[in-house]
Amino acid sequence: MSLKLKEFFLRYGLEVAVLLSIIIIAVVDKGFLTARNIRNIIMIASPLAILGCGFSLCLINGIPDFSFSSVAGFAGVVAASFAQNGDVFGRMYQTSDGFPLWIILLIILGISVIFGAVSTFLLVYCRLPSYLNGLVIGSIASGVTSYYLSLPEGGSRVLSTFTPGFTALGASFIGKDLFHSVPTMFVILIVIAILIFVFLNYLPAGHYYNGIQNLKACNRTCLFIKLFAVYAIAMLLYSLAGCIESSRENCVTAGFYDFSMFPVITGVIVGSVSVFGGKGNVFNAIIGIFIVEALLYALDFVGVPAGLQIIVQAALIGIAIFLDFCSSKTYTSRYATPFPLEQEKNPAL
């Protein structure tokens, strides 16, 4: 096997295998490949892909952050609570007929900045390993979400019936009719991916945040600023994804987006974003998430049990990590100790 063919197999072999599996299912079951199913896959995968963009930014910079589903759930709940219109019985804010969308987005931005600052502080100043950092932030977000939706007499609120502007985020289309149109959330995803790509590759400021090698030889303050930029952008993407998903579902409860963790991790890793940091891009992550979500939708379409689908995702993660390890020239574990190379070179860290 030539070197180029081996490199292609290690990087894209799993994606090709998953695509072939989808094609086989589509050939066996003629009813799968329809406009309605394709539209459903796009609408399910688009918020997950926005989550994946944020998660990929963290992975590329060597800081795996597993708080994304909890942060997205919290942001989606908060956004939904402010978007309830005046016709809903038992709404959270009785004096409001629903806040404008721009105010909700500002609230989402504030949530992102707070979570980003706390995550960066724990990582840089408390030296909490990055994977534990994500679990701590995720637990805090889940706990705050449950408390926010709790009722005085016990139980939890269910949020539904939102303003038209908020509903348009997850339920509107751009086009002449339902089957000849593009979901608005998919357009938002493409715009986000292009902005991230341009920022990281063509703007001077973006080069400071594109890869773990750029975090070496930093003092603690410099490291905080750079990592805060990464975390803040990632948290904003998490929050926006949660906001869009709550709009799409039109009925939100605590933990409504917990299911997103496994598909996002699977899709990002299948999309050739290295778990060891420093390799990958958001477009690969988006493609990986759409491929994995299409496979899961196809398996569900042909009646494969949910338990077996989880096993398939776990197998995909394991194979992708093995191929990633084989394609890496050197192995640097960034899960046991955060930034070990930087700590060796900088006693201040």
Side-chain angles (χ1 to χ4, degrees):
M1 183 182 295
S2 66
L3 183 61
K4 289 186 177 180
L5 184 60
K6 180 179 179 181
E7 182 180 354
F8 176 84
F9 172 77
L10 292 176
R11 292 194 63 182
Y12 304 111
L14 189 57
E15 291 179 86
V16 173
V18 174
L19 276 174
L20 289 176
S21 301
I22 297 172
I23 293 173
I24 292 173
I25 293 175
V27 171
V28 172
D29 194 326
K30 304 294 184 181
F32 171 68
L33 204 60
T34 63
R36 181 179 295 275
N37 286 338
I38 294 174
R39 186 199 68 206
N40 289 340
I41 292 172
I42 292 175
M43 294 189 69
I44 294 172
S46 292
L48 295 176
I50 295 176
L51 275 177
C53 288
F55 183 55
S56 298
L57 284 178
C58 292
L59 273 184
I60 292 170
N61 284 280
I63 45 175
D65 176 31
F66 298 107
S67 68
F68 56 86
S69 62
S70 299
V71 173
F74 174 67
V77 164
V78 172
S81 67
F82 283 97
Q84 286 184 290
N85 65 28
D87 299 328
V88 180
F89 176 77
R91 62 186 183 275
M92 292 192 67
Y93 302 103
Q94 299 294 330
T95 58
S96 171
D97 290 334
F99 289 84
L101 183 60
W102 67 271
I103 293 181
I104 296 175
L105 293 179
L106 283 179
I107 295 172
I108 293 302
L109 177 61
I111 292 173
S112 306
V113 170
I114 293 173
F115 275 108
V118 174
S119 295
T120 309
F121 178 83
L122 292 176
L123 187 64
V124 175
Y125 290 97
C126 299
R127 300 187 181 185
L128 194 67
S130 51
Y131 72 97
L132 286 180
N133 187 25
L135 295 177
V136 169
I137 295 299
S139 299
I140 292 173
S142 297
V144 174
T145 302
S146 298
Y147 179 77
Y148 186 74
L149 289 178
S150 62
L151 293 168
E153 62 274 13
S156 180
R157 296 178 186 271
V158 177
L159 307 177
S160 62
T161 312
F162 309 124
T163 59
F166 183 76
T167 303
L169 279 177
S172 63
F173 295 82
I174 299 175
K176 60 181 181 179
D177 58 56
L178 197 62
F179 294 100
H180 299 84
S181 58
V182 179
T184 302
M185 66 172 73
F186 182 72
V187 177
I188 295 173
L189 167 65
I190 297 301
V191 171
I192 288 173
I194 293 174
L195 290 176
I196 293 176
F197 180 80
V198 171
F199 174 74
L200 293 179
N201 294 278
Y202 295 101
L203 296 183
H207 294 290
Y208 291 101
Y209 311 112
N210 191 10
I212 56 178
Q213 66 276 6
N214 295 315
L215 298 176
K216 298 177 181 179
C218 290
N219 59 36
R220 188 173 296 181
T221 302
C222 174
L223 190 60
F224 181 89
I225 294 173
K226 290 184 176 182
L227 289 180
F228 173 71
V230 175
Y231 267 126
I233 294 174
M235 294 294 177
L236 180 59
L237 294 175
Y238 302 163
S239 300
L240 181 60
C243 187
I244 292 175
E245 182 64 19
S246 62
S247 169
R248 185 181 75 89
E249 292 194 2
N250 202 35
C251 184
V252 180
T253 59
F256 80 101
Y257 215 20
D258 288 346
F259 77 91
S260 64
M261 177 171 284
F262 221 4
V264 169
I265 294 175
T266 307
V268 167
I269 297 178
V270 169
S272 302
V273 178
S274 176
V275 296
F276 307 123
K279 186 175 69 176
N281 59 68
V282 293
F283 285 108
N284 283 350
I286 291 172
I287 292 172
I289 288 175
F290 269 86
I291 290 175
V292 169
E293 195 56 45
L295 175 63
L296 295 178
Y297 192 93
L299 293 176
D300 189 61
F301 187 82
V302 297
V304 175
L308 290 180
Q309 294 182 34
I310 295 176
I311 294 175
V312 169
Q313 292 181 77
L316 289 176
I317 291 176
I319 296 172
I321 293 176
F322 174 75
L323 294 177
D324 182 25
F325 175 79
C326 292
S327 64
S328 299
K329 294 181 179 179
T330 58
Y331 174 76
T332 301
S333 175
R334 292 184 171 269
Y335 292 83
T337 307
F339 311 110
L341 298 179
E342 291 82 341
Q343 290 181 10
E344 292 175 2
K345 294 184 178 182
N346 298 279
L349 290 183

